[in-house]
Amino acid sequence: MRAAPVPEIMLEPAFNPNSSPNQDAGTSRDALGLGSAAAKGLDVRHGTILTLEDINVSFDGFKALNHLNLYIGVGELRCIIGPNGAGKTTMMDVITGKTRPDSGIAYFGETLDLTQMSEVEIAQSGIGRKFQKPTVFEALSVFENLELALKTDKSVWASLRAKLSGEQRDRIDAVLATIRLDNSRNRPAGLLSHGQKQFLEIGMLLVQEPQLLLLDEPVAGMTDAETEFTAELFKSLARKHSLMVVEHDMGFVGSIADHVTVLHQGSVLAEGSLAEVQADERVIEVYLGR
Ligand SMILES: Nc1ncnc2c1ncn2[C@@H]1O[C@H](COP(=O)(O)OP(=O)(O)O)[C@@H](O)[C@H]1O
Ligand SMILES: [Mg+2]
C-alpha cells in the first residue's frame, strides 16, 4: 500500500474504533494493506469461531450474564432471541471488549483470548459489530463512507486524500453491489433512506472483511422490503462470514436462522431450530407467550 505524504491527524472518524495503530497484533491492517489479512490467519481448526464459557457479568450486584455458555461455528448464521434485559447486548459488549466479564472464557478462534484484547485489537482481528443506530457520515458520499471504513488507520482527511489501490477499489465496488447501493455511490449518505443507511453501515463492516459479524436488531425500523433484502443479504453473507444476529422480529428470524439461541436472565434457556425453541414450554413462558 502506498504511504501518502499527508499531514498528521486532522479529524478523527467518530464511528471508528480502529483509528489508533495496533501495537500488539504484529499484523496491523496498515502493514498488510488488507483488512482481512490478520483475520485470514485465524485458527479455526476445530470449526468454532467463537467460544464463550461460564461468562459472568454483574452490574451493581445484578447478574446481566450468568454462567453463559455459547459457541458459534465457522460460517454459521446464529440468531439470538430473548426478552428485554436478557443480556443480549451485554454479550456483544463482552465479545467486542466493551465490557470485561467478571469471570469466564471468551475466545475468537482457538487462540485469541478476547478478555485480554483491547476493543481496537478485537475489531482488527476480524470481529465487526453493527449497532442499531446508523453512524454514517451524512455529508460524505456512499463511496467515501466505504473508503473511510476501509482505511481505518488514517484520519478522515488523510483517508480521503490517500489513493485507493486497485484491489481496494474492487473491494468497495463488490460491497456496493452486495448492499445494492451501486447506483447511489456518489450520493451523500444523508440522502439515503433509513434502511439504506443501515445497508451502508453493513457495507462499512464488510469492506474490512470481518470473519464474525455481530448485528444488534438490524431490521428495527425497516420497511418490509428492506427487511426482506436484509434476510437475503445475511443468508448470502453466511458461510463466508459467521453471523450473530439479535432480533425480535420472529418473521425475520424464521426467514434466516437455522439455529436459534434463547437468552433469559443472562443464560442460555434453549437452543435449536426456531420451530424447536418455539415449541419449548420454558421459552413460551418467558418470551413468546407474552
Ligand atoms: N452498563 C450497565 N450498567 C448497569 N446495568 C446494565 C448495564 N448494561 C446492561 N445493564 C443491565 O443488564 C441487563 C441486560 O441488559 P442487556 O444486555 O442490554 O439486555 P438485552 O440486550 O437482552 O435487552 C439489563 O437489566 C440492563 O438494565
Ligand atoms: Mg439489547
Side-chain angles (χ1 to χ4, degrees):
M1 189 160 119
R2 197 170 73 98
V6 289
E8 277 305 305
I9 290 169
M10 303 286 289
L11 276 169
E12 280 302 316
F15 70 93
N16 180 355
N18 301 334
S19 53
S20 66
N22 179 2
Q23 306 292 341
D24 302 329
T27 49
S28 80
R29 287 169 185 287
D30 196 30
L32 292 158
L34 279 174
S36 65
K40 277 175 185 151
L42 188 71
D43 179 355
V44 289
R45 80 194 106 138
H46 297 306
T48 305
I49 197 154
L50 182 77
T51 300
L52 300 177
E53 271 173 11
D54 206 14
I55 294 279
N56 290 288
V57 172
S58 298
F59 296 113
D60 303 322
F62 174 82
K63 296 216 74 173
L65 295 180
N66 189 8
H67 302 287
L68 175 71
N69 295 307
L70 192 128
Y71 308 87
I72 306 283
V74 175
E76 193 183 330
L77 198 176
R78 176 75 62 90
C79 284
I80 312 287
I81 63 174
N84 284 328
K88 303 180 296 295
T89 299
T90 303
M91 176 173 71
M92 289 191 172
D93 290 343
V94 166
I95 296 166
T96 54
K98 188 174 173 204
T99 296
R100 295 294 172 192
D102 302 326
S103 60
I105 291 168
Y107 269 86
F108 184 39
E110 300 298 322
T111 56
L112 295 181
D113 182 349
L114 296 170
T115 66
Q116 301 300 315
M117 295 162 71
S118 69
E119 284 184 74
V120 170
E121 287 167 347
I122 290 170
Q124 289 180 332
S125 74
I127 297 182
R129 178 180 194 177
K130 194 194 155 310
F131 292 91
Q132 206 176 319
K133 200 164 166 286
T135 51
V136 300
F137 286 97
E138 307 232 324
L140 297 179
S141 73
V142 167
F143 190 94
E144 286 167 335
N145 270 279
L146 294 172
E147 193 176 347
L148 284 179
L150 185 63
K151 296 189 268 182
T152 54
D153 55 306
K154 294 187 178 66
S155 68
V156 172
W157 193 83
S159 286
L160 293 176
R161 294 189 142 236
K163 208 167 179 311
L164 284 169
S165 70
E167 186 271 337
Q168 288 175 317
R169 190 162 282 279
D170 289 348
R171 200 187 317 164
I172 293 177
D173 285 340
V175 167
L176 280 167
T178 302
I179 60 175
R180 292 191 189 163
L181 286 177
D182 25 6
N183 292 328
S184 302
R185 59 199 293 142
N186 297 319
R187 292 189 85 196
L191 298 182
L192 299 176
S193 73
H194 169 77
Q196 286 175 318
K197 282 181 194 168
Q198 301 276 10
F199 299 138
L200 175 55
E201 190 154 338
I202 291 168
M204 289 161 73
L205 294 177
L206 293 178
V207 290
Q208 300 175 42
E209 302 191 323
Q211 296 220 335
L212 176 62
L213 279 159
L214 309 178
L215 301 127
D216 204 349
E217 305 194 24
V219 300
M222 280 191 182
T223 65
D224 288 352
E226 288 167 343
T227 300
E228 264 175 49
F229 172 54
T230 306
E232 260 179 65
L233 176 62
F234 287 4
K235 281 192 281 188
S236 76
L237 293 175
R239 287 181 296 284
K240 188 177 174 209
H241 306 265
S242 309
L243 284 79
M244 179 191 275
V245 181
V246 167
E247 191 47 69
H248 289 290
D249 181 332
M250 283 304 139
F252 177 75
V253 169
S255 68
I256 62 169
D258 37 35
H259 207 70
V260 176
T261 297
V262 186
L263 281 197
H264 176 56
Q265 296 179 347
S267 305
V268 172
L269 179 68
E271 232 166 41
S273 68
L274 182 61
E276 281 164 358
V277 301
Q278 280 178 324
D280 187 313
E281 287 301 327
R282 296 163 307 162
V283 177
I284 293 166
E285 173 89 9
V286 304
Y287 184 50
L288 299 169
R290 291 182 310 160

